Structure formats: C-alpha cells, structure tokens
Amino acid sequence: MSAHCQLTGSKPGFGNNISHSHRRTSRRFDPNVQRKRYWLPSEGRHVRLTLSARAIRTIDGIGIEAAVARIWARGGKV
C-alpha cells in the first residue's frame, strides 16, 4: 500500500536520522494512513479509501459525500 492519502494528498516526507556522534542516515516520515470503508448513499455502494488519520476526522466533519466530491475534484478515483 502506498503511503499517501486520497483526500488530503499527504505523502511521505524525507529527512535524516542524526546519531549521537552526529552522523546522518536517510529516513522517511510516513503519514498515518489507514484503509477505511464507507457507505456512499448516492451510489448505493461501499467505497474503500486510503486515508490519513487527519482525513478521517475531516470526513467526520464534512461527510462522506463532500469528501468524495473533493477526491473527484483532485482527479482521484473512488
């Protein structure tokens, strides 16, 4: 599963681990993505979305219909 959110578009960030001796090695900051299933009443079916924890809270606020409209507006598939 790729670590990006379908609603917010958040992707992994990159940086460095810095040891006590100050040596740097590459690392990746992944967003907290979850697979979540929602009922979409307008289409009469379930949709499975890959969402960050922040996006799940956004859907709780704006509703699944508005969230799916935003995903479609960004050019994403549902």
Side-chain angles (χ1 to χ4, degrees):
M1 175 171 69
S2 68
H4 87 278
C5 175
Q6 288 181 282
L7 180 61
T8 63
S10 64
K11 295 178 182 176
F14 295 89
N16 292 308
N17 281 325
I18 302 182
S19 70
H20 181 68
S21 65
H22 217 66
R23 291 182 61 114
R24 294 164 189 220
T25 53
S26 255
R27 66 157 295 177
R28 200 174 129 130
F29 296 91
D30 284 329
N32 181 10
V33 293
Q34 314 289 327
R35 295 274 288 166
K36 193 120 167 77
R37 187 170 171 247
Y38 289 98
W39 173 252
L40 193 58
S42 64
E43 296 193 10
R45 68 182 179 109
H46 285 97
V47 292
R48 189 176 300 274
L49 301 173
T50 304
L51 301 168
S52 62
R54 179 177 203 81
I56 292 171
R57 290 196 306 271
T58 300
I59 290 176
D60 289 344
I62 66 172
I64 187 63
E65 297 288 342
V68 167
R70 283 188 191 180
I71 292 171
W72 284 334
R74 293 182 74 231
K77 287 186 177 180
V78 176

